[in-house]
Amino acid sequence: QLQVVESGGGLVQPGGSLRLSCTASGLSLNYYATAWFHQAPGKEREGVSCISAAGKATVYVDSVKGRFTISRDVANNAVYLQMDSLKPEDTGLYYCAVEEAPCAGTWPPRDLGSVRQWGQGTLVTVSS
């Protein structure tokens, strides 16, 4: 019933760009804070960015500030992650997450159980 789907991953050279998309069926992303998480090979899943339900507030972890931009398209029930100046350490799976709680300055949470629904992930590989 509830499905969250990411797309837009691929292979890109260092310094390049990708645009990831997150769409949903069975719920409206417009009612929930929506986030992107990154999981590098062999590492834990970590928060990257979050956008509020209204799309007016955004949160970024320090490692992506100035490089990534999260945005919301209400009409198309979609959330995007524009990734610029990509680095090899950005490599890994990127997951869209529908949050139960609003985004706040304390985001990302340590407890990933707060996520209402995960997408299946899309693979980003940054390599020369």
Side-chain angles (χ1 to χ4, degrees):
Q1 182 179 349
L2 273 62
Q3 293 187 80
V4 177
V5 179
E6 307 94 332
S7 63
L11 175 64
V12 65
Q13 293 184 334
S17 298
L18 287 172
R19 183 179 175 88
L20 307 183
S21 297
C22 175
T23 59
S25 60
L27 84 170
S28 175
L29 295 180
N30 305 329
Y31 292 133
Y32 302 94
T34 308
W36 288 95
F37 287 76
H38 170 233
Q39 187 166 20
K43 296 188 179 297
E44 296 180 346
R45 196 172 301 184
E46 298 180 340
V48 174
S49 183
C50 185
I51 188 167
S52 66
K56 296 182 179 180
T58 58
V59 181
Y60 301 91
V61 295
D62 289 342
S63 61
V64 306
K65 286 181 179 177
R67 300 191 300 122
F68 292 5
T69 304
I70 192 169
S71 62
R72 183 184 294 278
D73 185 341
V74 173
N76 290 299
N77 193 27
V79 171
Y80 306 104
L81 186 68
Q82 177 67 41
M83 309 166 70
D84 297 322
S85 302
L86 283 162
K87 304 175 180 180
E89 51 263 44
D90 296 320
T91 292
L93 286 165
Y94 283 78
Y95 296 89
C96 182
V98 180
E99 299 274 8
E100 289 284 5
C103 298
T106 55
W107 196 93
R110 300 297 295 177
D111 178 14
L112 300 186
S114 64
V115 173
R116 179 183 178 91
Q117 184 72 34
W118 292 99
Q120 85 291 344
T122 187
L123 180 62
V124 171
T125 303
V126 184
S127 176
S128 59

